[in-house]
Amino acid sequence: RTFLPRHTVFDLGVVGGVEVSLVQTEVGTEHPGATTLALSEVLTELRPDFVISIGICLGLRPDEQALGDVVVSSQVRLTDPKKITATLRDSRQLRILRGDKVSASVILLDRLRSETIVWRGPAVHFGLILSGNTLVNHPDVVKQMRNEEPDAIAGEMEGGGIYAASTVFGAQWIIVKGISDWGFDKSDVSQESAAANAATFVLSMLSSGALR
């Protein structure tokens, strides 16, 4: 362990010819210990070339996905910045997303796509991931997420901070997470295995020497 002023960095050694470190943050992006500020400190001290966010997420395609599947961000959409207004016709609530919609690292996306050729674990899905600070546990909210971004494959809470901090410090970034639930009737049953699947997929890519 290396102790930075506010965060601990775990040295995982050299994997596939690259030095790998692990940092754990609090949930979301807005807490003082959450992703945005935590990663900013780590990027200042360590100056990594690549940042990969690993954890759990909710799946938005239950007809195509299974619990434990891995999702990789080809794009991330920030869902917190929004405009809420009323429709002119019947005054129903209208939500207009105003957050950034950004593409993940070309290099990391390429390396993770190529890893699926030899990967023998759970299915891996590439696509748009929604990121916001709301813990979703209601079917109506999930339906609203699908309506706002029909192409989205998953939702999570740290991607906005990963994108913001990495962009400022010039690091390549991507989100890789395991599906632990569908955004309603949540439980902890699948969380550990989902996170492990995401981590194992990233480790498989690193071990191949793809980022040497």
Side-chain angles (χ1 to χ4, degrees), residues 38-56:
L39 184 56
S40 294
E41 180 183 58
V42 172
L43 287 164
T44 299
E45 297 289 336
L46 301 185
R47 294 290 178 177
D49 296 306
F50 303 101
V51 174
I52 302 176
S53 176
I54 299 173
I56 58 174

Side-chain angles (χ1 to χ4, degrees), residues 11-76:
D11 180 2
L12 303 186
V14 177
V15 180
V18 296
E19 297 179 14
V20 181
S21 298
L22 173 68
V23 177
Q24 184 178 16
T25 73
E26 299 298 327
V27 175
T29 63
E30 297 184 356
H31 184 278
T35 308
T36 310
L37 293 178
L39 184 56
S40 294
E41 180 183 58
V42 172
L43 287 164
T44 299
E45 297 289 336
L46 301 185
R47 294 290 178 177
D49 296 306
F50 303 101
V51 174
I52 302 176
S53 176
I54 299 173
I56 58 174
C57 66
L58 67 90
L60 289 173
R61 304 284 184 89
D63 53 333
E64 303 171 9
Q65 301 166 334
L67 294 179
D69 282 2
V70 176
V71 298
V72 179
S73 63
S74 58
Q75 291 181 303
V76 170

Side-chain angles (χ1 to χ4, degrees), residues 111-159:
R111 299 303 192 263
L112 290 165
R113 281 193 190 279
S114 71
E115 188 61 26
T116 61
I117 296 173
V118 297
W119 172 247
R120 295 295 177 263
V124 181
H125 309 270
F126 294 82
L128 173 64
I129 295 179
L130 306 182
S131 185
N133 281 289
T134 301
L135 180 63
V136 177
N137 191 19
H138 197 288
D140 289 346
V141 179
V142 174
K143 182 179 179 180
Q144 188 173 51
M145 292 169 70
R146 291 198 191 105
N147 289 338
E148 290 173 338
E149 283 287 0
D151 291 336
I153 63 171
E156 56 86 73
M157 299 178 67
E158 290 74 41

Side-chain angles (χ1 to χ4, degrees), residues 72-115:
V72 179
S73 63
S74 58
Q75 291 181 303
V76 170
R77 177 65 184 262
L78 278 58
T79 60
D80 286 338
K82 63 177 70 71
K83 176 182 179 180
I84 300 179
T85 184
T87 59
L88 294 176
R89 190 171 188 177
D90 52 14
S91 297
R92 288 185 299 108
Q93 185 185 104
L94 177 64
R95 291 166 31 119
I96 303 171
L97 297 182
R98 288 187 166 181
D100 290 357
K101 186 175 184 179
V102 293
S103 296
S105 162
V106 173
I107 298 171
L108 291 173
L109 185 59
D110 170 82
R111 299 303 192 263
L112 290 165
R113 281 193 190 279
S114 71
E115 188 61 26

